[in-house]
Amino acid sequence: MSDITSLSSLSSEEDDEQPRRNNRRIRHIRNRSDPFIEFDATDFRMRFKFRKETVLEILHRFEHLTAPASKRNKAISPLNQLLITLRFYPTGAFQNCLGDHIHISQPSVSRIIARITRCIARRSNTEIRMPDPNESVQVCSDFYGIANFPRVVGAIDCTHIKITSPGGENAELYKNRKGYFSINVEVVCDDHLIIRHIVARWPGSVHDATIFNDGPLPVSFQGGRHGANNFLLGDSDYPCKLFLLTPLLHPRTPAEVAYNTTHKKNSKHS
């Protein structure tokens, strides 16, 4: 009788456990939030660094590559995949935190960021390019409209992207002059703040001038690929060349002061 009672009690416990398991499954499949609808225009741009219209334009270019492969319910939409990635880029937030807001697991967040990043990188050659001689005419005209500085086809500078120490014997190469680990990224943009050129592979200790001299821009400008006699504007970290103009360190004449003033206006605008 004791065995029968024990079996009966066990069966009763299993019957009670089954609804609890079902409830856990129901709780696990949560409705995902939709940040695109949840936030107004101001809050959305503050969090994702883009206007909603811009996000939709980006989505239009990548949606066919990010559509869920599965037909199951509650598949992660291409829009939410893009928003997770755009949120991660400027914040570097823990992936658990990113996933908790939209109710997505950390492994899924990791896969999404990697997949969207690869999609974006594959389009870099078509989306990021210096102006050709024909396009340079309009770019130079737009720059001239800022402060009457002729033949400017772009403004160049470097920015340090903070990273964690990569470790190993070469780790100190990534420590910049301000004492933190980074990648020194070279960027050229036009007067509309469109990125025209980017190099993102040098350790933080490498000087801006070294990145420029070892890159493709000196050769392409010397070859006239961006219009004859056109040039870039750069700060005093760069060498002054026929195709790269930098500020005068000690202007003396009114003409030199005017040159520096115009140079600064164009550079700050870009």
Side-chain angles (χ1 to χ4, degrees), residues 109-167:
V109 170
S110 178
R111 289 192 294 269
I112 286 168
I113 293 172
R115 182 167 60 252
I116 298 300
T117 300
R118 286 193 296 268
C119 290
I120 294 172
R122 281 197 290 269
R123 293 188 62 94
S124 61
N125 290 334
T126 56
E127 299 290 337
I128 303 175
R129 56 182 179 79
M130 289 293 292
D132 59 28
N134 292 329
E135 190 181 6
S136 294
V137 175
Q138 183 61 51
V139 175
C140 290
S141 176
D142 292 341
F143 265 112
Y144 186 80
I146 299 171
N148 299 332
F149 206 130
R151 304 206 314 269
V152 178
V153 78
I156 186 171
D157 202 358
C158 283
T159 184
H160 287 269
I161 306 301
K162 189 174 182 179
I163 62 172
T164 58
S165 172

Side-chain angles (χ1 to χ4, degrees), residues 14 20 43 73 90 131 235 237 265:
E14 289 178 347
R20 287 197 292 269
D43 287 341
N73 291 334
D235 61 24
D237 286 337
K265 286 182 179 179

Side-chain angles (χ1 to χ4, degrees), residues 193-204:
L193 304 182
I194 296 174
I195 294 176
R196 293 290 190 162
H197 165 85
I198 188 166
V199 176
R201 62 184 179 87
W202 289 89

Side-chain angles (χ1 to χ4, degrees), residues 225-267:
R225 298 178 191 172
H226 314 302
N229 301 319
N230 291 336
F231 46 79
L232 297 170
L233 298 181
D235 61 24
S236 56
D237 286 337
Y238 291 97
C240 188
K241 297 178 178 291
L242 290 175
F243 49 83
L244 175 55
L245 300 185
T246 60
L248 297 170
L249 295 181
H250 304 290
R252 294 182 176 86
T253 67
E256 290 177 345
V257 172
Y259 165 83
N260 271 9
T261 301
T262 304
H263 187 291
K264 184 177 182 179
K265 286 182 179 179
N266 279 271
S267 300

